[in-house]
Amino acid sequence: DVKVTQSSRYLVKRTGEKVFLECVQDMDHENMFWYRQDPGLGLRLIYFSYDVKMKEKGDIPEGYSVSREKKERFSLILESASTNQTSMYLCASSLTIFTQYFGPGTRLTVL
Amino acid sequence: DQQVKQNSPSLSVQEGRISILNCDYTNSMFDYFLWYKKYPAEGPTFLISISSIKDKNEDGRFTVFLNKSAKHLSLHIVPSQPGDSAVYFCAAHTGTASKLTFGTGTRLQVTL
């Protein structure tokens, strides 16, 4: 079974803090993704990566950056957290271009 | 600009009856469509998919229909079970990039 793990289930940070969200997958997948899920807006793609050290902007990359130094690990970075980044963050990985496997999510609250 | 839309935020169906979840899209270049199911406090899990060259795909109680001329797809669940209560997202793929475009989700509640 594919396993995608995220470093925290719940996280509370203050405005202006730098925040790191970590994601690890154990299936040697090439592709990894970061989404945020908000009520009424569904899942929106922030960034994705199709190889180590490669990254592509998704639909809402503003205020975020990513890092992929190893194939199994994809990190999402909030350089200076703001209250409008309070959300559920979901990481996913995939081998093919279609089916994605998701982690359990990190609920981030920025105060 | 929402390219994939799920216009019903919620749906309630009695156990044993059919659940029909709908999804509309605007981009005619989408070549593959998927449905994901999400329980609270868990990540979405893949449910069923369909290629744009087909109009129907069936997997057990789940069937997805695609109407390309109407840019509409639907997920049928027959018979519905209480364990089907979840949020359902449709998603679409286009081009060579690996990314999917997701809809806003429909919360299905199957009542006893």
Side-chain angles (χ1 to χ4, degrees):
Chain A
D1 273 356
V2 176
K3 192 162 186 183
V4 179
T5 56
Q6 296 184 227
S7 51
S8 305
R9 295 299 300 269
Y10 300 93
L11 210 50
V12 179
K13 295 292 181 181
R14 297 214 172 270
T15 302
E17 277 193 80
K18 190 168 186 175
V19 181
F20 293 87
L21 302 182
E22 303 283 336
C23 176
V24 177
Q25 50 98 359
D26 66 357
M27 285 302 291
D28 203 35
H29 285 173
E30 303 286 342
N31 309 301
M32 296 189 75
F33 310 83
W34 274 106
Y35 295 87
R36 60 179 284 176
Q37 181 193 359
D38 300 287
L41 297 175
L43 273 68
R44 294 181 293 165
L45 181 65
I46 304 170
Y47 268 96
F48 67 103
S49 167
Y50 50 86
D51 202 352
V52 176
K53 296 192 187 294
M54 305 299 287
K55 60 184 179 184
E56 293 278 346
K57 291 181 180 179
D59 300 316
I60 50 164
E62 297 78 20
Y64 303 94
S65 62
V66 290
S67 171
R68 193 163 181 205
E69 296 297 320
K70 292 185 178 181
K71 193 175 186 179
E72 67 271 18
R73 189 179 297 269
F74 191 35
S75 303
L76 180 70
I77 303 154
L78 287 67
E79 294 290 342
S80 177
S82 63
T83 55
N84 63 12
Q85 292 179 309
T86 291
S87 185
M88 169 70 81
Y89 289 88
L90 292 158
C91 174
S93 72
S94 74
L95 184 59
T96 69
I97 59 174
F98 306 125
T99 311
Q100 297 182 11
Y101 298 87
F102 284 82
T106 295
R107 183 164 294 283
L108 172 67
T109 302
V110 183
L111 302 175
Chain B
D1 179 29
Q2 194 78 28
Q3 295 188 64
V4 179
K5 299 178 185 179
Q6 294 175 256
N7 291 317
S8 298
S10 63
L11 175 68
S12 183
V13 172
Q14 270 190 321
E15 181 181 11
R17 296 193 175 262
I18 184 171
S19 295
I20 300 176
L21 294 92
N22 294 303
C23 182
D24 297 298
Y25 62 93
T26 57
N27 188 344
S28 58
M29 300 303 291
F30 285 140
D31 57 6
Y32 212 80
F33 301 90
L34 304 90
W35 284 93
Y36 281 79
K37 174 180 177 179
K38 185 181 184 300
Y39 292 118
E42 294 182 14
T45 54
F46 169 73
L47 192 57
I48 192 170
S49 63
I50 188 168
S51 165
S52 61
I53 63 172
K54 296 190 174 183
D55 54 19
K56 178 182 176 182
N57 188 27
E58 193 171 351
D59 183 2
R61 296 186 298 112
F62 302 91
T63 303
V64 57
F65 295 92
L66 176 62
N67 182 336
K68 284 186 69 176
S69 61
K71 294 191 176 68
H72 177 82
L73 68 155
S74 60
L75 174 67
H76 293 210
I77 307 172
V78 183
S80 300
Q81 299 174 353
D84 296 329
S85 298
V87 177
Y88 290 79
F89 292 98
C90 65
H93 171 268
T94 184
T96 55
S98 304
K99 67 174 195 169
L100 299 175
T101 301
F102 282 83
T104 51
T106 296
R107 181 177 302 278
L108 172 66
Q109 184 173 8
V110 180
T111 58
L112 296 173

